[in-house]
Amino acid sequence: MRMIVTKTKYTIENGTVYVIFMGRGEDGERKEIKVKGPPPYFYSIEKPMNDNMIVRSEKYGKTIDGIPLYKNYVRYPKDVPQIRDKYTHFEADIRYADRVRIDHKIKYAIEYPDDKDELTMDDIKPIELNIKPTYAIIDIEVRDDIEFAKPNNPTQPILSLIHISEPTRPLYISYAVFCLK
């Protein structure tokens, strides 16, 4: 199977980390596949000592300044932000799902076997693929003659909802505007 990847996230089930790739297949249908994820990690200058959150550590290259680095593996992606500040760390702020895509060179699309019960990252291959994604945009208009709208603390009444999607109708782009009283 082949699909474009529009979103990547992760989940933990029974102590195992899975990466979830979501997108659209060649057939135009929505796809979501779950793949056993690689171990999360971060780099540090210091060698971890007596840190039970780090399950494995190994020497790994050097910084741009020539300082030796350690690659430190943790059990879960959420462990990286909890432990990184104990160290002089590098690339510890990259989210796990993004890290997986970077490490496996997944830019836009993937190919994977559809005849396996459980996929691993070895089964996922980055590819070039030309599938047109479907877009949906929601625009919420609020009353702003009293004060400028604050998205994080909305207090003004909603005047209209605008839905723009493509392609949902024979026309290239369709609009739906809902005016509220």
Side-chain angles (χ1 to χ4, degrees):
M1 296 289 286
R2 295 161 26 129
M3 67 183 274
I4 59 169
V5 178
T6 55
K7 183 172 180 166
T8 309
K9 63 181 185 176
Y10 79 91
T11 187
I12 300 169
E13 295 176 8
N14 299 322
T16 302
V17 179
Y18 292 94
V19 179
I20 299 171
F21 294 101
M22 293 173 277
R24 194 156 298 275
E26 286 182 295
D27 58 2
E29 295 296 315
R30 272 186 277 191
K31 302 286 183 207
E32 184 174 305
I33 62 164
K34 185 170 72 170
V35 180
K36 189 173 181 186
Y41 67 87
F42 69 98
Y43 300 105
S44 70
I45 292 174
E46 303 87 4
K47 180 178 175 134
M49 298 289 200
N50 301 322
D51 198 325
N52 59 359
M53 288 186 79
I54 294 180
V55 295
R56 188 177 84 216
S57 185
E58 59 191 37
K59 286 187 177 182
Y60 183 88
K62 296 182 177 184
T63 68
I64 196 166
D65 299 324
I67 300 168
L69 285 175
Y70 290 91
K71 188 173 184 178
N72 307 301
Y73 296 92
V74 295
R75 187 172 168 108
Y76 302 115
K78 63 183 177 164
D79 295 341
V80 173
Q82 293 177 14
I83 192 173
R84 67 182 175 202
D85 291 333
K86 294 180 182 178
Y87 302 94
T88 306
H89 60 80
F90 296 86
E91 297 187 10
D93 59 341
I94 298 174
R95 293 179 150 183
Y96 176 73
D98 295 333
R99 166 60 57 208
V100 170
R101 287 184 73 163
I102 292 166
D103 288 351
H104 291 86
K105 298 175 178 43
I106 298 170
K107 295 178 186 172
Y108 184 66
I110 58 173
E111 185 172 42
Y112 59 94
D114 58 350
D115 59 349
K116 290 182 85 174
D117 289 338
E118 184 167 278
L119 297 171
T120 67
M121 286 308 299
D122 291 335
D123 298 318
I124 306 299
K125 306 290 180 235
I127 59 169
E128 295 294 324
L129 190 60
N130 190 10
I131 298 174
K132 190 171 183 166
T134 299
Y135 298 97
I137 301 166
I138 306 276
D139 183 16
I140 302 172
E141 297 296 328
V142 299
R143 185 174 173 188
D144 63 358
D145 59 340
I146 299 169
E147 66 178 353
F148 189 74
K150 299 177 220 149
N152 294 334
N153 186 18
T155 57
Q156 300 303 318
I158 296 173
L159 300 176
S160 68
L161 299 172
I162 302 170
H163 172 259
I164 305 167
S165 62
E166 180 281 319
T168 58
R169 296 193 179 164
L171 297 174
Y172 198 67
I173 296 179
S174 64
Y175 296 88
V177 178
F178 306 95
C179 294
L180 307 173
K181 194 168 186 173

